[in-house]
Amino acid sequence: MPELTHRRRMLVLAICCMSLLIVSLDNTVLNVALPSLRQDLHASVSGMQWTIDAYTLVLASLLMLAGSTADRLGRRRVFQAGLIVFTLGSLLCSLAPSLPWLVAFRMVQAVGGSMLNPVAMSIITNTFTEPRERARAIGVWGGVVGLSMAAGPVVGGLLVEAVDWRAIFWINVPIGLLALFLTMRYVPHSRAPHPRRPDPVGQLLVILLLGSLTYAIIEAPESGWGSPLIMSCTALAVLSLVGLIGYERRRTEPLIELRFFRSAPFSGATVIAVSAFAALGGFLFVNTLYLQDVRGLSALHAGLYMLPMAAMTLVFAPLSGRLVGARGPRLPLLLAGTGMVVSGVLFAGFEAEGSTPLLFTGYVLFGIGFGLVNAPITNTAVSGMPRAQAGVAAAVASTSRQVGQSLGVAVIGAVLASGGAAAAASEGFAEASRPAWWVITGCGVAVLLVGALTSGRWARETARRAARQLEGDPAPADGAPTGSRQGG
């Protein structure tokens, strides 16, 4: 990528953030619309889960493929294709005549979304080459997540009340078209000099792993954990994971570079991303149902209730980027884990739902925690890696986020569905959701402990060793090894 002026770099960052906005806004808007969608399309709890997880699963499965395709065909070209497909998918979602069609069109959206975020992050990491400037750019990137959380519930509530749930997909169309126009004019061409070859077997194993695992979790409450179908899906997930690890270790140009995981900060960033976004997915899912089904709030008022959480994310995400740039990822990770744990305990142990002040306190603490966690995830994943490896590392981090959100919605939905009639009844929902809140608290504990373990001196040394090994390997500029090597 050619050297750009400061103004041009800021414009490229803004365009990339627009793609993140529509992808992130889509899920926050959809969460608020779930009760309206359930009533209109006669969806069950598992049906609502699939409207979210069909999107996040396809997104997670294709992120690595999209990143390598962008390296091969050109990042701007793939980014433009993603904007077109995502915008078209959004339009189709607004026209869906039934739940199965909506789930199918959500998958079309996800195919487009998979070409946006990892490619945009690769563009950012190659545009902002100075570490402190890159950390701040990633902080802005994380702030867009906060913006989507702040705007999503309110915009979604307004659209649902003014029109219906279908209108929530319309907002992606003008933003997507504007981002497409600006990309064509201002984002420079770039590609890897020696892109990796496709890895169809690895790609298939990733799809089988994520799909079978999520299906088993979502459908288990209805089918039974010991049913042949669920047991078969679980076995398929385990076999896919074992096969993926074994196959990728032997490939010279793997879909997933397993040697990245020799870096403790990179491995920690992956676990933290899964845990934090599982907590977010579960948090949004259970709160949407509680506020509208139990408290009887409208979609708009439910969105306004969740503004304290969204506002804190909006404020603390860029602050986290500056903290990472100035002091490293350790402090933001510790504060993030603490905020998420305390928030979860308020709901799980002190029944914050029954007290509006406690409810808002829990929202504020979770928003602070989630706002602080996003920048150190990305920065830790790409820091220490050779510059040419940054896009691949960032794609793994992005995949981990989507996997986490899929699992969070699947697990929390399964916990609520296991509550049966109690979860469906207003008076029994708070008690039935208690285990769900403990799961969310556990995710916060994982962020805290793994963050502390993988951000110290020992962890940084493992990152330096991993980087030296990667740089010493005869690999092309995108980080894929070209010669034979020992399995990682």
Side-chain angles (χ1 to χ4, degrees):
M1 180 177 292
E3 189 66 29
L4 304 177
T5 65
H6 176 75
R7 182 178 178 182
R8 183 76 174 271
R9 290 200 302 273
M10 292 298 104
L11 185 56
V12 170
L13 175 61
I15 295 168
C16 291
C17 286
M18 288 177 70
S19 73
L20 177 63
L21 177 64
I22 57 177
V23 173
S24 300
L25 192 67
D26 196 67
N27 270 336
T28 54
V29 168
L30 181 60
N31 268 279
V32 174
L34 284 177
S36 174
L37 183 151
R38 176 180 59 184
Q39 183 176 0
D40 189 26
L41 299 182
H42 310 290
S44 62
V45 171
S46 64
M48 290 188 292
Q49 290 172 272
W50 279 119
T51 62
I52 297 174
D53 275 359
Y55 176 84
T56 53
L57 275 176
V58 173
L59 196 64
S61 299
L62 298 181
L63 283 171
M64 296 296 295
L65 175 63
S68 61
T69 302
D71 287 340
R72 186 165 53 254
L73 301 181
R75 297 182 180 103
R76 190 178 83 168
R77 182 178 298 174
V78 172
F79 191 68
Q80 288 173 317
L83 288 168
I84 293 171
V85 174
F86 187 88
T87 303
L88 176 62
S90 298
L91 183 61
L92 290 173
C93 285
S94 71
L95 303 174
S98 63
L99 183 66
W101 278 110
L102 177 61
V103 171
F105 293 148
R106 289 279 288 164
M107 295 171 75
V108 174
Q109 267 191 312
V111 173
S114 70
M115 303 180 207
L116 296 180
N117 286 1
V119 180
M121 180 54 68
S122 182
I123 292 171
I124 289 173
T125 53
N126 282 275
T127 299
F128 296 88
T129 56
E130 196 274 320
R132 189 182 298 268
E133 189 180 40
R134 177 188 292 173
R136 289 175 179 169
I138 292 173
V140 173
W141 173 268
V144 174
V145 177
L147 179 61
S148 70
M149 291 180 65
V154 178
V155 171
L158 283 170
L159 291 173
V160 169
E161 289 198 5
V163 189
D164 63 17
W165 62 267
R166 298 177 188 276
I168 66 175
F169 296 105
W170 296 345
I171 194 170
N172 294 331
V173 177
I175 299 176
L177 292 176
L178 177 60
L180 178 62
F181 171 75
L182 293 174
T183 299
M184 294 171 65
R185 290 204 59 177
Y186 297 110
V187 174
H189 286 286
S190 67
R191 67 176 70 188
H194 306 284
R196 291 172 295 163
R197 291 175 298 186
D199 182 5
V201 175
Q203 186 64 60
L204 177 61
L205 289 171
V206 168
I207 293 173
L208 288 175
L209 168 61
L210 297 179
S212 57
L213 176 62
T214 305
Y215 185 90
I217 294 172
I218 290 178
E219 299 297 332
E222 182 175 343
S223 300
W225 288 99
S227 68
L229 176 62
I230 301 304
M231 295 294 289
S232 298
C233 287
T234 304
L236 178 59
V238 173
L239 291 174
S240 299
L241 177 61
V242 173
L244 180 66
I245 294 173
Y247 181 77
E248 294 298 283
R249 284 168 63 94
R250 293 193 300 271
R251 273 189 64 85
T252 55
E253 296 184 7
L255 177 72
I256 301 174
E257 178 53 82
L258 297 179
R259 291 179 299 168
F260 284 172
F261 292 94
R262 294 175 179 174
S263 164
F266 179 86
S267 298
T270 303
V271 174
I272 292 166
V274 171
S275 301
F277 278 77
L280 174 67
F283 189 96
L284 293 175
F285 191 81
V286 71
N287 266 289
T288 295
L289 298 181
Y290 168 73
L291 291 173
Q292 295 188 52
D293 290 351
V294 179
R295 288 212 169 191
L297 300 178
S298 67
L300 175 58
H301 286 108
L304 292 173
Y305 254 67
M306 296 180 71
L307 266 182
M309 178 194 71
M312 292 301 101
T313 300
L314 180 62
V315 169
F316 279 87
L319 175 61
S320 177
R322 289 193 290 271
L323 280 174
V324 171
R327 303 187 58 180
R330 187 176 183 84
L331 179 60
L333 286 174
L334 296 181
L335 293 174
T338 301
M340 297 171 79
V341 168
V342 176
S343 172
V345 169
L346 284 178
F347 286 99
F350 293 90
E351 301 183 3
E353 303 99 324
S355 166
T356 298
L358 275 182
L359 182 75
F360 285 143
T361 301
Y363 286 173
V364 166
L365 289 172
F366 189 90
I368 292 172
F370 186 76
L372 287 168
V373 81
N374 210 25
I377 287 173
T378 303
N379 185 269
T380 303
V382 303
S383 64
M385 297 291 173
R387 179 181 168 188
Q389 306 274 12
V392 182
V396 176
S398 296
T399 301
S400 302
R401 290 181 175 93
Q402 300 303 326
V403 170
Q405 191 161 354
S406 297
L407 293 178
V409 172
V411 171
I412 297 304
V415 170
L416 293 177
S418 298
S426 298
E427 61 275 7
F429 185 90
E431 187 60 34
S433 66
R434 201 71 57 225
W437 283 114
W438 282 119
V439 172
I440 293 171
T441 304
C443 291
V445 171
V447 171
L448 179 61
L449 295 182
V450 176
L453 180 64
T454 61
S455 59
R457 181 178 302 175
W458 162 80
R460 290 193 295 273
E461 180 55 35
T462 67
R464 284 191 287 269
R465 285 200 302 267
R468 286 196 296 268
Q469 292 169 357
L470 289 167
E471 288 176 327
D473 210 36
D478 71 339
T482 57
S484 61
R485 61 174 173 83
Q486 296 299 318

